[in-house]
Amino acid sequence: AKHGILEKLAETIYKFDTYPSVERLQSGALALISKHPCLREPGSPDGCSGWKHSLKFKMGNYGGKLKRAGCTEVAINAVKGGRPQMASKGLKRPKRYEVNYLPDIPEGQSEDSLEAERKLLVEEMKKRNPSGAVIASEMDQTFPLRRREIVEAGPPVKTLKERWPALFTERQVYAEFNREVTKNLQGDLFEALDRHTPRLVEIFRAKKGSVGQTLAGLVQQVHNPDVTAMRTMVLRGLPVLLGDDPSDFYNTCFDCDTDETWAQVSVGVLTVVPEDEQLVPNQLHLQPISTAIIVEGAIVMDDVQNLPEALCLLFGLSYALHLDYPNAMKNTFGFIQRVMLGLGESELPPKLQSLENLLLS
């Protein structure tokens, strides 16, 4: 009976999280004894320690079964002697807690059939009014093909935009993040950002020295504290607080200059402002004409509503396109991933841990 329960639990957990942490296994074991109190272990401090340990081994055994059955996702991440078994093939391992990193092609489909679906998707995107329902369905079906192409071949973003134009639309950036991580990126990120904003503003105001002056300057620009203005101020202040250098990441230009080249920017956000505004360092520009996203020196998405929305979409694109976080902003992106979205091990790097401690104090 216990074997059957563990088998079913492992199968269910795998659907949501291929590589569950100890905390998640603990949560699963607690949920089991909460729903079925008769399974509670006498003498165990929390009533489920044994279930948690058994579940950990069962997940390993279940992964082994999938690997022997030819599951690419598990085979890539199999570890033997402390090293990934397929590392010699140059395949990267998931590093940001993706649930679906390299999903297998569904039974009854092939790379050729999915490539045909991709071409239909491109044709749909050429229409004046493409069908959102058709695009969503085709993007769901072609997800395994797309992930293999992006992770294994790593083509330039320009090529990906030609082959997968729907991936550079707002709706599909968020949908792709959900396919990979099973999280609502926009909802979860903004909920966490709004929840932490009051405390972050206090931390900004309490900071001393040159960093404190820069943060105070950002806070003072928000006279009408609507939600977008507060989010903009916090997202501009976070890299300053975390010791990042956002000078090449947050870019500003006049409306007449949007066609200029951005080759020097590998990844960034571009705020487009009226010509009568002054371009001064650390200016928030809370009423921009529009906002755009730059990747590999080119604008890949434009007409984004505001800076918080653009940063959220760019974070989603970093998952969808398998991009490295920009070096100059790695602490900020890491904070968004690890603290705001809860993706990663509970142990944080020192700078992120220090800020999380301040948030909770």
Side-chain angles (χ1 to χ4, degrees):
K2 184 175 181 179
H3 170 79
I5 293 169
L6 290 169
E7 192 77 22
K8 196 67 180 175
L9 270 176
E11 183 181 334
T12 303
I13 290 172
Y14 184 84
K15 291 176 183 176
F16 296 94
D17 192 344
T18 315
Y19 317 104
S21 63
V22 174
E23 291 86 354
R24 289 199 173 184
L25 291 175
Q26 171 82 5
S27 176
L30 281 170
L32 175 68
I33 63 169
S34 296
K35 188 167 184 179
H36 304 285
C38 61
L39 298 177
R40 178 178 287 274
E41 298 164 335
S44 171
D46 52 12
C48 66
S49 297
W51 284 109
K52 182 185 74 174
H53 291 301
S54 297
L55 191 53
K56 179 181 177 181
F57 289 111
K58 179 56 71 174
M59 286 298 294
N61 293 338
Y62 189 74
K65 284 184 182 178
L66 293 175
K67 178 188 164 191
R68 289 190 292 276
C71 176
T72 310
E73 171 89 20
V74 176
I76 282 178
N77 297 286
V79 175
K80 193 171 185 178
R83 301 184 64 183
Q85 287 185 271
M86 296 185 72
S88 59
K89 297 186 179 181
L91 295 175
K92 298 177 182 176
R93 301 181 68 204
K95 55 186 174 182
R96 299 176 193 158
Y97 276 63
E98 298 96 328
V99 176
N100 295 307
Y101 182 66
L102 267 184
D104 289 308
I105 290 175
E107 194 173 337
Q109 294 273 23
S110 66
E111 287 197 11
D112 290 339
S113 67
L114 293 181
E115 176 64 16
E117 297 284 350
R118 184 197 68 78
K119 290 176 180 176
L120 289 174
L121 185 55
V122 172
E123 291 305 311
E124 184 66 32
M125 286 295 294
K126 290 178 181 177
K127 295 179 181 178
R128 178 173 292 182
N129 295 304
S131 166
V134 170
I135 290 169
S137 174
E138 296 285 2
M139 287 290 282
D140 280 341
Q141 287 189 60
T142 54
F143 179 60
L145 178 69
R146 188 164 56 255
R147 288 304 295 166
R148 289 184 177 209
E149 180 179 331
I150 290 171
V151 174
E152 295 180 0
V157 171
K158 182 181 177 182
T159 302
L160 288 172
K161 194 168 184 184
E162 292 169 357
R163 286 180 55 79
W164 302 98
L167 191 55
F168 295 83
T169 62
E170 184 173 319
R171 181 179 295 182
Q172 286 306 312
V173 169
Y174 292 137
E176 193 81 346
F177 190 83
N178 187 261
R179 292 181 192 107
E180 290 182 42
V181 186
T182 66
K183 271 184 177 285
N184 178 345
L185 172 58
Q186 187 183 37
D188 291 355
L189 175 55
F190 287 153
E191 186 279 326
L193 186 61
D194 295 342
R195 175 162 38 88
H196 290 309
T197 287
R199 179 61 183 141
L200 281 168
V201 172
E202 289 179 4
I203 295 169
F204 286 3
R205 286 180 170 146
K207 205 70 179 171
K208 305 296 182 184
S210 59
V211 168
Q213 287 182 338
T214 302
L215 292 171
L218 294 174
V219 173
Q220 288 163 11
Q221 292 178 54
V222 182
H223 305 296
N224 179 25
D226 66 89
V227 67
T228 300
M230 295 299 287
R231 288 172 180 173
T232 302
M233 181 263 293
V234 167
L235 290 172
R236 287 290 300 271
L238 263 178
V240 178
L241 188 63
L242 288 166
D244 283 339
D245 178 11
S247 55
D248 288 330
F249 182 81
Y250 288 126
N251 303 274
T252 312
C253 76
F254 294 125
D255 189 29
C256 58
D257 298 330
T258 50
D259 292 333
E260 70 177 79
T261 178
W262 298 96
Q264 80 282 4
V265 180
S266 58
V267 178
V269 172
L270 175 65
T271 300
V272 182
V273 301
E275 291 181 54
D276 57 357
E277 284 199 27
Q278 287 186 316
L279 298 185
V280 296
N282 298 315
Q283 187 73 20
L284 289 179
H285 301 291
L286 296 173
Q287 294 183 315
I289 293 173
S290 67
T291 314
I293 296 169
I294 303 169
V295 178
E296 293 182 2
I299 292 175
V300 295
M301 292 180 72
D302 55 13
D303 293 326
V304 182
Q305 289 182 358
N306 49 57
L307 183 139
E309 199 70 55
L311 186 62
C312 186
L313 286 165
L314 179 50
F315 186 85
L317 279 173
S318 72
Y319 272 75
L321 306 179
H322 200 58
L323 302 173
D324 289 332
Y325 294 151
N327 275 335
M329 290 284 285
K330 64 180 181 180
N331 290 326
T332 303
F333 275 69
F335 185 81
I336 290 171
Q337 176 197 323
R338 304 283 292 275
V339 177
M340 291 191 172
L341 294 173
L343 293 169
E345 297 285 357
S346 55
E347 187 176 340
L348 298 173
K351 283 188 178 180
L352 305 192
Q353 187 65 64
S354 295
L355 181 51
E356 186 182 50
N357 290 344
L358 283 173
L359 286 175
L360 299 176
S361 64

